[in-house]
Structures are given as C-alpha cells and as structure tokens.
Amino acid sequence: MSQAMASHLDIRGASLGSLRMFPDDLIVRAIFSLLGPKDLRSLSMVSRYVHVFSRNEFLWKLICIDCRDHSSMRLPFRGTWLLTYLFPRPEDHEACAKHPLAHPIQLQGITSDYLHMQWTRSNMFFGHFYPPPPMPPTPAIGNNRPVNTTVPFEDYQLLDKETFYRRYGFPNRPVMLYNSGVEAWPAWKQWTLEALLERYGDAPFRVSNLDSEEEPYFPVHFRDFYQYVKYNKDEDPLYLFDPLFADRHEELSTDYQVPKYFETDFFALLEGKDRPPYRWMLIGPQRTGASWHTDPSGTSAWNTLLSGHKRWALYPPHIVPPGHDPESPKWLSSVEWYLDVYPFLAPEARPIEVVQNPGQTIYVPTGWWHMVLNMDDTVAVTQNFADETNILQVKDSMLSEVEDKRQDARWTALVEELSKVRPDLVPALTFDPKSELSMLLDAEESLLDEASLESTATWKNRAIEVVARATGVKHKPEDITPIKTGQNVCFLAKDKFVKFFTPLNDGLACFHAEVKANASLAQSKAKTRKLQKSTLSSPKMVASGFLLDEETSTKWRWPYVLMEALHIFPDENDMDFDLNPLVESGDYMPDNSEDYGTLLRPILKTLHRYHSSPLTHQGEYPTKDPLDHFQECLSNVTKNHAQWRVFPRHLLEQLSDYLPKSARQVFDPSRGDAIAPLVHGDVNPSNVLGHLHYQAHVDETMPYPGVLPAPPPPTFEPTAVIDFGDAQFSSDPLVDFVSVYVTILNCRKDLTDMVELLRESWQASFGGTNSERLAQRCMWHVLLWPSEGLGMHLVRCVPEIGEMTSWQQVEEAIFGWWKVSQ
C-alpha cells in the first residue's frame, strides 16, 4: 500500500470512527438519509468527512422536497439544496445571496470515489454524447439481438397514412419523422422556457423526482422550475412530466397538432368514462430522461421535440435491455445505464440508437423497450394511443392487470364503444384464451396461477405422485422444480420430467400425439441405430396416463407424460456436468452459413428419419386423420385470423380468395403429394436443445503479450428434439420444412447454401415434385397453422409483408425459392 493511500485511510478512519467500515455511498444514502436537518447540522461539526457527507446535496434535496410548502407549491431553488432549505421563501433572495454558504469553503484531504463519481455525473456535459456508428444490418432473429440497427428517417410530407400503416404501424417498427410542419405550430415559439415563464410563471406543473419512492411526483410553480433548470447540478435532476397540462390550461392543447398517422386513439371513446392519461408536456434539463420501460397498457407513442436534443435507445419487445430488471423496484437512470452498462456491451448487443433534433417526431411502437437521455435542456410533447395496430397488445396488457379493477372496467367499456364503430375488430377484442381455459377448468382455475404458493405446492405434490406411480420413488417437494414451457404445466423432478396437459388448444389431442410419437420412436430406434448416430435424440418416455380417475372426476382429468430428463453431453464421461447444460437454440441463433450448417444439418437428418422410418407402434390413443386435421384448420382459418390479426388488414380482406377450397388441395397423396409416417409439427428453436461449444482462441498478433483477447462467441450444437404434442401421422412432411424455414432459418433467402440444403433434403427424401405447387402449399400451411405463433414470427422476420399487395406476392417473397430450378 502506498504512503498516500495509508494516509488517506488514517484520515478517513479518524473522521468516521465506527462508520469507517461502511462504503461512502452507504453512509450517505442509507444512514444519513434517515436523519433530519438538525441532526445533519450537528454532525457537520464532528469531522471533515462527516462534514462533507452531511452537506451532500442528495440529502438536502430529499429534505427540501419533503419540507416544502405544500399549500403554495413554491420551491424557489437557490443553486444548492442546502441554501434552498435555509431560504424557502421567494422573498429570501437577497438574504440568501449574503449568506456565507453562498460561497462554500474548500476542504482538503478528502478522498472518495463515491463523491467523485457524484460530482462527475452532476457536472458532466452531454451535448456531444452522440452514439457510435450503427452496426451493419443483420436479418438474424435471435432472442438476444435486435434485427435492425438503425431507426429509419421519413419525410412526413411524402409518407401517406396507408404507407405508414403498412411500413411501420402494422410491422411494429419505429421511425423518425421530419418535415412535418412542427415549426409552424404555436408551440414552436410559445413553448420555449422563457415564453412559458412569461405565460405560466405562477402556474403549477407536475415534476418527477427519481430520488424518492414515497413521492415520485409533486407540483411546483413553473417560475421555480425554470430557476432550477438554469442552475441545478443534480445527479438525477427533476423532470417536468405533466399529464394534466392541457386539462389545467386548455389553450395548450391547441398549440400543437397530432401527426396524421396518430389521429385515431380508441381511448378517446372513453372521454368522460375514465380515459387513462395519454398526453404529457416534457421539459427536462440536461441529464434527465426516461429509464428503460415499455409504454403503459400496450399503447404506442409519438414524441415531438420542440427544443434541445434527445438520445433514444431502443430494443424490440422480445429483448429485455441488458442491465435492466423489470421486476426490480429500482431502475438505473439513463445516465447510470450509459456509464455503467453500455460501455461493456458487445457491439451486437447494443440497442438501436438515434438522436432526435428539434422539429422531429419519433414513433415508438407498442412493446418496444426504450430509454431517453436529454443531451441538453429539452422541451417536448408526447401522446400515447391505441389503434388497430396495437389493440391486441392493449387487450393483453389491460386483461393481465388482474388486480386493477379499474383497468378491467376500462377494457369492458372500451370493447362496448369499439364494437359500435369498428365491428370488424370484435372477434379480436372478445377472444380471450385465458377465459376459455378458466371455463374449462372451473374450480381448478387457481391451480394454474404461477404466483400462488398454494398452487405451486399442490402441483408439486401432483408431480411427486406421478413419478411415484411409475418408479416407486417418492421425491421431496424441494426436489421438484417448476418449468415454464408454453401452455402446459411442467416440472423437473431430478432425473425425470413431468408434463401435465391443459385443456386449452385441444390438449387431449396433444397428449395422444405426444404418447404415440414417443412410443413409435422408442420402438423404431433398434431398427435404425446406424442412422441415429448422425441425428438428434429425443427424451425417453417412462410413463403416461391421467392424474385423475375417470370415475372420480367429471372435469379435466389432467393427462400427463413422464419422461427421462435430458442430460445429454457430447462426452458422457464429461466431468464438467454443470458447466455445459442443455440450452434452447433460440438463445444462440447463428449469423453465418457455417454455424447455420452446424444447426440445420442434424435437424434435417432427424426429420429425414421421422419422415422415412415406418411406424411400428400405433398406440392405444386415437389421433386425427391428417385430411380431417387440415379440413378443421381450413374451417377455422377465417375466424382465427380475425381473432389474431397477425397480418395487415388489406391482406386479411383477400384471405378467402387465396385459400384453398378443400383440404385435398393442401395435401393429397393421391395426386402425388409426399407422405411421411411421422411429422413433428412444430420444429422451432424452443424445441431444439443442445450445448454450447467454446473454441480456444489464440491470436499470434497480440500487441500486448499476456493480454487475452475476447473469446469468440460459442457455437450452438444441437443434440435433441423435444415436444411432440403437435405431431401428425401419415401426414404432410412439408409442415416440418415450413416450420424450419420460418422459425430456424428466419426466412433468410440470402443464405443460399442453407436454402439449397433444404431443397436437397426434400429431394433426397421425396424426389421431384411440382415446385410451384410446393411454394403455394407452404404459404397455405402458414395460414392454416392452428396457432398464431408461426405467422407472428414470419411477420417479425419479413416486416415488408405490410407493403405487399397480395398473398401471391407474399408467397413469392417467402417461398419463391422452391421455384428455382434444381
């Protein structure tokens, strides 16, 4: 230890006494924050360190806001919060200027990383804090990366409403709009800080306060907030974020115009019926902003900047921002995230970023994570809205807030009003699979509540009973781990996996398919061992049955399967058992042909085994005839798409003309269509498990010997296929090829060698077929898919579908590669 460091520790220890064992930030924020102003004043005379800590601006900001004059809503800021506390009245200005604390003394010998960080962040200039150049666009769709790396800019005058809907609204893509005439708004001149001070200096506005959980918002006169904006040096400054600005001052609502794309807001139908907050005036000094969040109630938003500059960061809905915990009550501020998390992100993990200039409007679609940093003093206006592009997300959000009866009442009222003006939306508004499940389960509804401790205990005991029936081993409750996987209730019981099937989405048929597929694969293994060496395994089924006896229950009997838990490693003698667990391929999707080949080849070989090996076990449970299955899908397709609204309205209007008239047009072996003994039915990244392969990286050109470079990312190596609940028998193998191309290749026609691999695999299994009809049948299968997941993923991969004018054009864009000569 250096002499200087030892001297510092001696001074700090002597100054703090028994408090020296605590870090400085804990002393200030957790201990001294519990004290009142008199205690802090007394402590300031104890020693140098205690004096500095007791004068910390964070503490006096809390005290000032807590002790302010609530009746007058005045909070005249004096340059520091301590002076603001000492001189709280507006007429105290001259006395404050003469006070000794107006010229603070400088103390020597104080060394503190926390105080230095606090001072740095309070004085940091963000005017030049522009994002780095964006990464090249990547079409890869993994669970951990954005798809597009930039926010496009569009000329408002050249972008009509229908094109906006198809290009951005329907595919849920953000965009920055310019040349929209904002400079002609009254707000352009009348919403400057000085103009607002003149018009509304003595009017209260609501400000947000990140430093208080008890009072995160409070009203203050604009005159005082103006003074604060000009002179504050807070680490987390106050931010004017007022949802009632136009209710108190109606003329402010006419100072701006809602952009033409966002004029429809379904929540406007609730005007006078508890319409939720939807518009905000935003005035923020430098260093303010919004931490990571998604907009409330599933709404989308537009934000127009009138002055200053905002740096926006965005992640698509499926990517939770790194360093952000949505379940935590304490979120990192924008400045904290940019300084503490952002520098350590790999380039491909960075958010989509854009700087908004005055006069520009950004559109933030529903579900998108976004964070904002005000690079300088900014004034903006924003509104949230519900329209046909996000109404399903609004529904899901409002219905998920089960404890908020007000939201439930709002949704009921909204559906009632919307059914009068948009009857075409009624199927989507009224369809609720959770309600359907509740009706099916009746009294057992609570047993599916993941948040219920009683539910968890009940289901653990059921899992224990099922394992004991088959093996005679009775596990302890602590040996049972709940597993979240789709709609079913699943548990890991040490070396066993238990899946209970719910009645939702024809759960009994899924149970029958799972049992028959696993039994068939188990009996065919002995005959195809040579082929199996290059294919993926599947878990071994130990037992199947019903939890409840038919005689004792007239409700759902809870069918189940008990499987061997998958602990498959490249080397069965690998001692690093816990260091290389099974993971889903969706978390590690490749971004180049070589890695895609590692993933795709064993999948296709495995499908070849399913599609070509004769089934020797028909099973005790009945399964649907494939033609009956496709006819059922065809009968439900119009209703399903009216409920899901996955595709844009102009394509939905053409749906009936494009679809086949009978199931035999989709699949007809008598016409030469290929037939497979076993079709998995849902080959997606969640159902392909494997291990990560880490390669050693040696760089002979390292400029600094001994400094290890960043290792290359791991390669995903698949080892197993799971979940045969959607399996079909003597059916159309094209179903699996559609699923692989859409969900695993993510519709990437640019990976020509992988597309060719798909064609070659089909050719090797089934020979030549009418390629033009293959493309059409593939598109039909997407539309006939019995759940919305495949269509949603297709739109996510190819958002340009919104701008396509016909299903034939969509078919050509997605599956036209079948028509290339082989």
Side-chain angles (χ1 to χ4, degrees):
M1 182 184 299
S2 68
Q3 184 176 355
M5 178 62 73
S7 175
H8 153 64
L9 293 177
D10 290 343
I11 296 173
R12 185 181 183 278
S15 293
L16 295 176
S18 58
L19 290 177
R20 67 182 181 276
M21 67 182 68
F22 300 113
D24 294 351
D25 59 333
L26 186 66
I27 294 173
V28 173
R29 291 182 172 264
I31 300 177
F32 281 24
S33 63
L34 301 175
L35 305 176
K38 292 183 179 179
D39 295 324
L40 290 176
R41 184 177 61 183
S42 299
L43 279 173
S44 68
M45 296 181 285
V46 170
S47 66
R48 276 186 285 182
Y49 270 85
V50 177
H51 174 87
V52 172
F53 290 162
S54 65
R55 295 290 179 87
N56 192 273
E57 280 287 272
F58 169 78
L59 300 175
W60 290 99
K61 180 182 180 182
L62 296 179
I63 291 171
C64 279
I65 293 174
D66 185 55
C67 298
R68 73 186 188 280
D69 186 347
H70 290 71
S71 59
S72 69
M73 292 179 282
R74 294 303 306 272
L75 190 62
F77 187 68
R78 306 298 185 187
T80 71
W81 285 106
L82 178 54
L83 284 172
T84 303
Y85 171 77
L86 295 174
F87 301 97
R89 300 179 304 171
E91 59 267 26
D92 291 338
H93 180 70
E94 290 188 10
C96 175
K98 297 176 181 179
H99 195 277
L101 285 177
H103 307 282
I105 61 174
Q106 301 292 324
L107 287 179
Q108 303 296 321
I110 304 295
T111 303
S112 169
D113 289 340
Y114 166 68
L115 295 179
H116 178 262
M117 178 199 70
Q118 194 180 44
W119 182 89
T120 300
R121 296 184 177 185
S122 299
N123 291 273
M124 189 172 289
F125 176 69
F126 285 97
H128 302 308
F129 192 60
Y130 282 80
M135 292 282 291
T138 172
I141 307 264
N143 290 340
N144 298 320
R145 75 185 74 176
V147 182
N148 304 304
T149 57
T150 59
V151 173
F153 280 69
E154 289 277 6
D155 188 328
Y156 183 89
Q157 302 301 327
L158 302 178
L159 186 67
D160 61 74
K161 293 172 69 173
E162 182 62 23
T163 303
F164 176 87
Y165 164 78
R166 296 188 180 192
R167 189 175 296 171
Y168 299 107
F170 154 71
N172 212 41
R173 301 168 71 187
V175 62
M176 187 72 77
L177 304 165
Y178 65 93
N179 193 26
S180 59
V182 174
E183 294 81 358
W185 291 0
W188 184 256
K189 293 182 179 178
Q190 297 177 17
W191 285 29
T192 65
L193 291 176
E194 290 71 22
L196 289 170
L197 176 64
E198 183 177 345
R199 294 172 71 189
Y200 303 104
D202 296 321
F205 287 83
R206 192 187 79 160
V207 298
S208 65
N209 175 27
L210 292 179
D211 291 326
S212 174
E213 294 181 8
E214 292 74 22
E215 193 177 19
Y217 303 100
F218 63 89
V220 65
H221 277 217
F222 190 85
R223 187 177 310 280
D224 297 332
F225 182 72
Y226 174 86
Q227 187 79 0
Y228 173 82
V229 169
K230 294 299 181 183
Y231 297 107
N232 90 89
K233 290 293 184 181
D234 283 348
E235 185 179 0
D236 291 316
L238 302 177
Y239 191 7
L240 193 153
F241 199 89
D242 195 337
L244 302 176
F245 72 100
D247 298 272
R248 289 191 297 263
H249 310 285
E250 189 174 348
E251 67 278 6
L252 287 173
S253 66
T254 63
D255 285 349
Y256 68 93
Q257 293 181 341
V258 177
K260 58 189 176 186
Y261 319 113
F262 317 122
E263 292 171 338
T264 298
D265 182 4
F266 293 155
F267 280 123
L269 298 170
L270 299 183
E271 199 70 61
K273 299 180 181 179
D274 193 24
R275 182 181 187 180
Y278 68 98
R279 57 187 175 186
W280 290 264
M281 172 187 276
L282 310 175
I283 303 178
Q286 185 179 159
R287 301 185 305 282
T288 55
S291 55
W292 285 111
H293 68 286
T294 58
D295 284 322
S297 300
T299 56
S300 304
W302 61 267
N303 181 303
T304 297
L305 186 62
L306 298 167
S307 62
H309 300 80
K310 290 178 178 285
R311 178 169 169 175
W312 290 79
L314 305 99
Y315 283 104
H318 62 286
I319 300 180
V320 177
H324 173 72
D325 180 4
E327 304 300 324
S328 172
K330 177 63 176 175
W331 295 351
L332 295 176
S333 70
S334 306
V335 172
E336 288 175 314
W337 191 86
Y338 266 121
L339 297 180
D340 296 342
V341 177
Y342 186 85
F344 303 99
L345 297 178
E348 63 271 14
R350 291 176 188 156
I352 301 168
E353 294 188 271
V354 66
V355 171
Q356 183 183 20
N357 296 311
Q360 295 177 347
T361 299
I362 190 170
Y363 164 63
V364 182
T366 175
W368 275 71
W369 291 96
H370 53 287
M371 181 185 73
V372 188
L373 175 64
N374 291 321
M375 300 166 64
D376 44 21
D377 299 344
T378 62
V379 179
V381 62
T382 185
Q383 288 194 186
N384 287 53
F385 61 91
D387 64 7
E388 72 172 295
T389 67
N390 61 22
I391 191 61
L392 294 185
Q393 289 79 7
V394 170
K395 180 186 78 170
D396 291 344
S397 177
M398 297 185 76
L399 292 181
S400 68
E401 300 175 35
V402 291
E403 297 180 358
D404 190 343
K405 301 301 182 184
R406 193 173 178 182
Q407 285 286 69
D408 186 63
R410 278 176 180 158
W411 176 251
T412 302
L414 184 61
V415 171
E416 181 180 351
E417 295 298 324
L418 262 178
S419 62
K420 302 173 184 176
V421 296
R422 289 295 304 270
D424 59 307
L425 294 178
V426 170
L429 299 179
T430 55
F431 173 64
D432 183 8
K434 291 184 179 179
S435 297
E436 180 184 340
L437 180 60
S438 299
M439 290 186 292
L440 289 167
L441 297 179
D442 293 334
E444 292 203 276
E445 175 189 3
S446 63
L447 299 182
L448 289 179
D449 180 6
E450 296 177 358
S452 169
L453 294 176
E454 179 183 357
S455 169
T456 302
T458 302
W459 277 104
K460 282 189 174 184
N461 288 331
R462 292 181 168 192
I464 291 171
E465 179 184 343
V466 164
V467 175
R469 284 183 188 178
T471 67
V473 178
K474 188 168 184 179
H475 290 286
K476 298 178 180 178
E478 54 266 30
D479 297 332
I480 309 298
T481 304
I483 305 293
K484 291 184 179 181
T485 170
Q487 69 188 39
N488 298 309
V489 186
C490 302
F491 294 90
L492 189 65
K494 286 194 171 179
D495 60 342
K496 299 292 186 292
F497 178 79
V498 186
K499 179 197 286 189
F500 294 99
F501 293 82
T502 71
L504 194 61
N505 294 333
D506 206 355
L508 186 62
C510 292
F511 165 67
H512 292 163
E514 183 93 48
V515 172
K516 181 173 180 178
N518 280 284
S520 299
L521 288 173
Q523 292 201 8
S524 65
K525 280 183 178 179
K527 299 181 180 181
T528 57
R529 289 199 179 277
K530 184 176 180 181
L531 181 62
Q532 288 178 56
K533 291 182 179 180
S534 58
T535 63
L536 307 181
S537 62
S538 56
K540 178 183 177 183
M541 185 173 66
V542 177
S544 63
F546 294 88
L547 179 71
L548 305 178
D549 293 334
E550 191 169 6
E551 293 76 15
T552 60
S553 175
T554 58
K555 299 184 179 69
W556 186 248
R557 294 177 59 202
W558 291 106
Y560 68 85
V561 292
L562 179 66
M563 320 288 289
E564 292 284 358
L566 283 171
H567 294 299
I568 306 168
F569 289 83
D571 180 2
E572 295 180 357
N573 299 317
D574 189 352
M575 299 300 293
D576 296 329
F577 188 78
D578 294 326
L579 299 181
N580 194 13
L582 281 170
V583 295
E584 294 180 1
S585 62
D587 292 329
Y588 302 94
M589 293 302 289
D591 54 13
N592 60 72
S593 289
E594 182 179 354
D595 290 343
Y596 256 117
T598 302
L599 172 64
L600 190 58
R601 286 185 177 88
I603 292 176
L604 293 178
K605 289 180 179 179
T606 303
L607 291 180
H608 176 70
R609 178 161 66 95
Y610 297 166
H611 296 165
S612 59
S613 300
L615 296 181
T616 57
H617 180 85
Q618 296 304 313
E620 58 184 300
Y621 300 121
T623 53
K624 287 184 180 179
D625 178 85
L627 282 174
D628 292 341
H629 167 73
F630 292 133
Q631 188 61 51
E632 182 181 338
C633 291
L634 190 58
S635 301
N636 294 329
V637 66
T638 302
K639 178 191 72 172
N640 286 344
H641 283 282
Q643 293 173 343
W644 302 335
R645 297 191 71 84
V646 170
F647 294 101
R649 59 174 178 265
H650 66 282
L651 290 179
L652 292 179
E653 292 168 356
Q654 305 173 38
L655 192 60
S656 59
D657 293 333
Y658 175 75
L659 286 170
K661 304 308 177 186
S662 72
R664 286 198 175 274
Q665 289 180 262
V666 182
F667 173 62
D668 187 1
S670 66
R671 296 177 56 186
D673 291 344
I675 186 170
L678 172 62
V679 174
H680 182 279
D682 192 19
V683 185
N684 68 69
S686 297
N687 290 335
V688 178
L689 306 183
H691 300 280
L692 299 180
H693 178 65
Y694 296 88
Q695 295 180 342
H697 179 64
V698 179
D699 189 349
E700 301 294 342
T701 65
M702 285 191 299
Y704 304 105
V707 177
L708 295 177
T715 300
F716 177 83
E717 296 183 350
T719 58
V721 175
I722 62 171
D723 193 354
F724 290 84
D726 295 300
Q728 302 170 26
F729 305 89
S730 300
S731 187
D732 189 355
L734 202 57
V735 169
D736 284 341
F737 280 76
V738 168
S739 185
V740 167
Y741 179 67
V742 174
T743 68
I744 293 180
L745 275 185
N746 296 312
C747 304
R748 289 192 59 177
K749 291 194 297 184
D750 62 301
L751 296 174
T752 54
D753 49 347
M754 293 298 101
V755 173
E756 185 60 31
L757 191 62
L758 274 178
R759 277 199 298 260
E760 290 174 355
S761 178
W762 178 269
Q763 183 77 15
S765 298
F766 308 110
T769 322
N770 186 328
S771 58
E772 187 163 340
R773 188 160 179 271
L774 280 177
Q776 185 180 54
R777 287 171 58 209
C778 283
M779 194 67 237
W780 284 344
H781 277 308
V782 170
L783 296 173
L784 296 179
W785 211 263
S787 62
E788 70 269 39
L790 188 71
M792 292 175 64
H793 193 86
L794 176 67
V795 170
R796 190 171 134 207
C797 294
V798 191
E800 296 81 9
I801 286 176
E803 298 185 72
M804 298 178 189
T805 58
S806 68
W807 284 113
Q808 288 77 9
Q809 188 179 356
V810 177
E811 173 192 311
E812 181 66 29
I814 307 301
F815 296 110
W817 50 269
W818 278 113
K819 303 175 185 178
V820 177
S821 59
Q822 302 188 27

